[in-house]
Amino acid sequence: MQRQLWVVTGSSRGLGAGIVAELMQRDGCTVIGIARGATAPCEASVAGATLESWQGDLADPAPVAERLERWLSAQADGAFASATLVNNAAVLTRVGALERCSSDELSRAARVGLEAPLVLSAAFLRATAAWRGERRVLHISSGLGRHAMAGQATYCAVKAGLDHMARAMALDQAEHARAHDGTRPARVASLAPGIIDTDMQVQLRGSGDEGFPDRGRFVEMQTSGALQSADATAARVIAYAERDDFGSNPTADIRDD
């Protein structure tokens, strides 16, 4: 049996928990869930799927990245037919103008949402550089990384950073393949997953109108049933990551399919 490895950050709730639950229904799937809280096993898990729950604060990502690199380096080449890192974790600051947020709040959001994907991606790529199997790095982005919105400057900046990181990483991998005589590169994409019914949506709808002129639009999306469930979105995200053309567009939107 060819095993698949998935590393998912922000795995204890929302989209991350949905991705883990979907993967745990697959025979031969090994999942490492990384979050501050424990990643709960899914009742529908199949016997051939395994879950490791790593609790760590991605506002201090270096120890988590070091643990990941050690774990990956200890695996035998050929142990996994594919390995995928999903950088999903994010922190939403208070809704409103940037200056309403404290320095600690802004720093935490930037470290979890952007610094952690940087150091985790680097650790993942170093440790798997000689692996023969398929390697993928998937950043969970947002439409707000491509279209600015008042009241969420930090979230917009983090997601835009993930998009541009994916573009640069894709160029790095292509250059590495050329320099090493066609060595199989990792494939990279930053994917906007659509509008999901998560805690973020609850926070946005529950904010006041001051400093957030788009609040009414988010309320309307909820009342009109326009929000996707985390579980349904998770299935689509996994299917996208496994497409043959994954990485051909480093900044993709699941709604374009």
Side-chain angles (χ1 to χ4, degrees), residues 8-202:
V8 183
T9 69
S11 55
S12 62
R13 59 183 185 175
L15 178 60
I19 291 172
V20 170
E22 181 74 17
L23 293 171
M24 291 303 293
Q25 297 177 44
R26 296 181 169 200
D27 191 16
C29 200
T30 296
V31 181
I32 297 175
I34 302 174
R36 282 198 297 167
T39 303
C42 176
E43 292 182 1
S45 300
V46 299
T50 59
L51 171 65
E52 291 200 23
S53 175
W54 292 7
Q55 290 184 248
D57 190 350
L58 290 177
D60 182 19
V64 182
E66 290 163 6
R67 181 181 181 184
L68 177 62
E69 188 165 359
R70 287 194 303 270
W71 190 94
L72 291 169
S73 298
Q75 308 308 306
D77 182 24
F80 298 102
S82 66
T84 306
L85 169 63
V86 183
N87 287 309
N88 165 71
V91 172
L92 191 68
T93 60
R94 73 189 71 191
V95 180
L98 182 69
E99 59 269 25
R100 294 182 59 189
C101 302
S102 70
S103 297
D104 286 346
E105 188 179 1
L106 295 170
S107 178
R108 179 174 184 79
R111 298 193 76 178
V112 171
L114 191 55
E115 182 181 341
L118 279 165
V119 296
L120 288 171
S121 296
F124 176 85
L125 292 172
R126 277 194 300 268
T128 62
W131 288 18
R132 289 167 291 175
E134 181 75 44
R135 297 180 299 141
R136 298 179 290 245
V137 177
L138 172 61
H139 304 321
I140 300 299
S141 185
S142 169
L144 295 186
R146 299 157 199 182
H147 306 282
M149 183 177 73
Q152 276 300 291
T154 310
Y155 194 80
C156 290
V158 162
K159 296 306 185 181
L162 288 178
D163 286 353
H164 216 44
M165 189 201 318
R167 296 182 186 104
M169 288 174 65
L171 293 174
D172 285 343
Q173 290 300 306
E175 181 59 29
H176 177 83
R178 284 193 293 270
H180 293 81
D181 194 25
T183 300
R184 190 175 193 175
R187 295 191 287 165
V188 184
S190 188
L191 178 68
I195 306 170
I196 312 168
D197 194 6
T198 62
D199 291 345
M200 174 185 171
Q201 289 289 326
V202 174

Side-chain angles (χ1 to χ4, degrees), residues 217-243:
R217 183 162 65 90
F218 284 86
V219 172
E220 171 60 25
M221 284 189 289
Q222 194 265 340
T223 56
S224 66
L227 301 179
Q228 308 169 86
S229 72
D231 289 344
T233 304
R236 294 183 69 192
V237 167
I238 293 168
Y240 187 90
E242 294 182 326
R243 283 171 38 161

